[in-house]
Amino acid sequence: MAGVNPPRLSVVAAVLFLTVGVTQLVASLLFYRAIDEVTLREDHARRVAELLVVSDRVYRLNGQSTSSVMTSRHLQVSLASDPSVDGSAGIDELDHIARQILHWEPSLAGRPLRLAIQPVEDGRRDLVGSMQLQDGSWLNFQSHDISSMWPIALRASWMTLVTSLACLGIGLLAIRLLTAPLRRLSEAAGAIGQGQHVAIRENGPVDLRNLAHAMNEMQGRIARLLEDQAKSFEAISHDLRTPLARQKLAAELVADTEISEMVNANADEMEAMLQSLQQFLRAQHLSAEAEEIDLNAALKGLIEPYGDKVRMATSEAACVITYREPLLLALRALIENARHFGDKVEVTVQQIADDWFVAIKDDGPGIPAQHFEDVLTPFFRLDEARGRTTSGFGLGIPTAHRLLTRFGGNLSFGSPPDGGPIVRVTVPRAA
C-alpha cells in the first residue's frame, strides 16, 4: 500500500521470535494441562483404591469404627445397607477411574463398584462411590474436589511460563544487540547518500564488520574522487580565465560595437558559469567545524548588500551550534535566487522544538509543485529548452541543497496561501 513504510528487520525478527515463543508457551501449557487431567484421574483412582482396600480390612477387624477411622478432611466414609450411587456406566471419565482403581488394586476386581460425579459449590466436583463388602453391606465414600489438586502441573506451568518469558526477554535483547550494527549501517548509508561523511563503527558480527569497513573505505574513495574532481576543474577554470581575459581584451579592439558587446557578453557569461560550477563542485567536499553562531546577526550581514530589496523579520536571539560557512553559502545562494526572481524578499527565523528554520519568501512567480524535486537537479531550468530569457545556470538551489544535506540540514519548498514562493531551510545542528 502506498505511503506505508515497511517494518525494520529487527521488528520483523522480534515479531517472528515472539510468535514462535508464544506458540511454544501455549503449547507447553496445554500439554501440562492435558497431563494434569490424566494425573488427577490417576491420583484419585490410586487414593480410592487404597481407601477401599484399607476400609475393607478395617471393617473385618472392627466394622463399627470403619467410618470414624477412614473419614478425613479429604474423604468422607460411611456404611449402609444400600449404595448411595445408582450406577456409573457410560461415562468415560468414571470408566477410566474405575479401570485405574483395578489397576492399582487387582484384588477389588470381584467387588461391585459404582462411581459418580457430584457437583458442589464454586464449580467444584466431588467423586462419590459405593463398594459392596463381603457381608453384603455397602461402603459409601466421597472424595472432595476431583478437579483440583494439580500441584505438579501447576508448578511445571509456572516454571514454563517464567522460563519462556525470560527466554523471550533475552532473545529480544539479543535481536536488538545483533541488529544495532545493521541499523547504524542503514542510517549511515542514508547520510552518505546525502553527501555526509559518517565514521561507521566496525563492530558486531564478522559480516557486518566487513560491510562497515567496506563502507568506510568507500567514503574515503568518494571523498578523494570529489576532491580530485574539484581540484581538476579549478585548474581548468583557472586556465580558461586567461583566454577569456584575452578574448575580452580583443573585443575592445573590434570596431563594430555590436560584435564587441556580444563577445564581451559571451565571455562574461562563460566566466559566470565557471564560477557557478566551481561553487557547486566545492559544495561536494567543503569541510567545516561546528561553532555557535547568532542566526539573526549572520543573516543581517548577508542581506545588507541588497538594501531595502531584502528585509528581515526581527526575532529573539537565535543562537545555534552549526556549521557557519556551509550554512551561509547556502543561504546566500537562496537569497540571491529569490532576489533574482522577485522584487521583494522577506527572511524569517523561527524555532520549532529544538530545530531552527530560516524561511525565504519572495513575490516572484514561484516554482510549480511538480518541479519541487526537479529544481534540486543541477542545471535544471524552469524555462524549457534552456532558453536565455532569464539568467542563471540552474546551480544555485542544487548548491544550497548539497551544502545543507551534507551537514545534516534540509531544504523544502512551499506556496503559502497569501501568494509568493517560500523556501524553508532546516539549519544543520551539530551533534
Side-chain angles (χ1 to χ4, degrees):
M1 183 181 294
V4 178
N5 294 326
R8 292 179 177 269
L9 175 62
S10 58
V11 175
V12 175
V15 170
L16 179 61
F17 183 77
L18 284 173
T19 302
V20 174
V22 171
T23 303
Q24 178 64 31
L25 174 60
V26 172
S28 299
L29 293 177
L30 293 176
F31 173 72
Y32 284 127
R33 182 176 179 84
I35 290 178
D36 178 63
E37 292 177 355
V38 176
T39 303
L40 281 174
R41 294 174 182 175
E42 294 181 352
D43 181 64
H44 274 83
R46 178 181 57 79
R47 289 192 289 110
V48 169
E50 293 174 351
L51 163 69
L52 296 178
V53 171
V54 174
S55 298
D56 186 56
R57 293 176 181 175
V58 172
Y59 182 77
R60 292 176 185 177
L61 296 175
N62 187 357
Q64 300 299 325
S65 62
T66 302
S67 298
S68 59
V69 171
M70 297 305 299
T71 298
S72 67
R73 65 189 183 94
H74 299 293
L75 296 169
Q76 288 182 357
V77 178
S78 63
L79 295 173
S81 58
D82 297 319
S84 62
V85 177
D86 294 336
S88 57
I91 301 179
D92 293 339
E93 183 178 9
L94 296 177
D95 291 342
H96 178 76
I97 295 177
R99 289 193 298 268
Q100 290 295 322
I101 290 174
L102 296 179
H103 172 75
W104 286 104
E105 296 293 343
S107 61
L108 301 176
R111 302 289 183 89
L113 178 63
R114 301 176 181 181
L115 300 175
I117 300 295
Q118 178 178 326
V120 293
E121 69 275 1
D122 300 331
R124 295 178 298 169
R125 301 185 306 159
D126 289 352
L127 176 65
V128 295
S130 300
M131 184 186 73
Q132 192 173 30
L133 301 176
Q134 290 181 347
D135 62 356
S137 59
W138 290 84
L139 178 71
N140 299 317
F141 61 89
Q142 182 174 358
S143 177
H144 297 302
D145 199 3
I146 192 175
S147 59
S148 65
M149 298 181 64
W150 51 309
I152 297 177
L154 181 61
R155 286 196 298 268
S157 299
W158 274 111
M159 290 178 61
T160 301
L161 178 62
V162 172
T163 304
S164 299
L165 291 177
C167 291
L168 287 174
I170 295 173
L172 292 176
L173 179 61
I175 290 175
R176 179 175 177 81
L177 293 177
L178 288 175
T179 56
L182 185 60
R183 187 167 56 252
R184 289 196 296 268
L185 287 174
S186 176
E187 295 172 352
I192 293 172
Q194 298 293 337
Q196 303 178 33
H197 181 82
V198 182
I200 306 174
R201 287 187 293 174
E202 299 177 11
N203 59 359
V206 175
D207 294 338
L208 294 182
R209 287 204 304 268
N210 293 338
L211 179 58
H213 181 72
M215 291 181 67
N216 283 329
E217 289 189 338
M218 178 190 68
Q219 289 187 86
R221 289 194 297 271
I222 292 175
R224 289 191 296 271
L225 178 64
L226 291 176
E227 187 175 358
D228 293 342
Q229 182 187 55
K231 288 181 178 179
S232 299
F233 182 79
E234 286 175 357
I236 294 173
S237 62
H238 180 271
D239 293 340
L240 286 176
R241 282 190 173 88
T242 300
L244 284 175
R246 288 199 298 265
Q247 183 178 353
K248 293 175 69 175
L249 181 62
E252 299 293 334
L253 303 178
V254 176
D256 192 320
T257 304
E258 184 177 354
I259 295 178
S260 176
E261 291 178 351
M262 182 178 63
V263 171
N264 274 318
N266 289 335
D268 291 339
E269 184 176 356
M270 291 180 63
E271 190 170 0
M273 178 182 293
L274 290 175
Q275 183 178 0
S276 181
L277 186 57
Q278 185 176 8
Q279 292 175 352
F280 175 75
L281 291 176
R282 183 168 179 257
Q284 312 296 319
H285 65 89
L286 178 67
S287 59
E289 296 293 332
E291 59 180 292
E292 184 176 6
I293 68 171
D294 185 344
L295 285 179
N296 291 325
L299 284 169
K300 287 179 182 178
L302 285 180
I303 67 176
E304 186 176 358
Y306 299 99
D308 58 355
K309 301 295 183 181
V310 179
R311 63 186 182 89
M312 177 178 171
T314 59
S315 61
E316 300 178 355
C319 295
V320 60
I321 299 179
T322 185
Y323 306 93
R324 175 186 290 272
E325 186 178 7
L327 176 62
L328 296 186
L329 287 175
L331 291 174
R332 180 180 288 111
L334 295 173
I335 293 174
E336 177 64 28
N337 186 79
R339 176 65 189 88
H340 178 74
F341 292 100
D343 294 329
K344 297 291 183 178
V345 179
E346 181 180 353
V347 180
T348 306
V349 178
Q350 183 182 16
Q351 183 182 19
I352 301 177
D354 295 331
D355 293 322
W356 286 94
F357 300 90
V358 178
I360 302 172
K361 181 181 177 182
D362 62 74
D363 57 356
I367 303 172
Q370 64 269 25
H371 293 304
F372 282 171
E373 293 293 330
D374 296 332
V375 296
L376 302 178
T377 305
F379 301 108
F380 176 82
R381 291 171 56 87
L382 290 177
D383 51 328
E384 296 184 2
R386 296 182 58 86
R388 287 304 173 189
T389 56
T390 58
S391 60
F393 307 98
L395 288 174
I397 293 179
T399 300
H401 181 251
R402 295 292 175 90
L403 286 168
L404 291 170
T405 53
R406 281 193 61 229
F407 291 90
N410 194 22
L411 184 63
S412 60
F413 305 93
S415 299
D418 56 349
I422 185 169
V423 179
R424 179 182 290 255
V425 173
T426 304
V427 178
R429 287 198 306 161

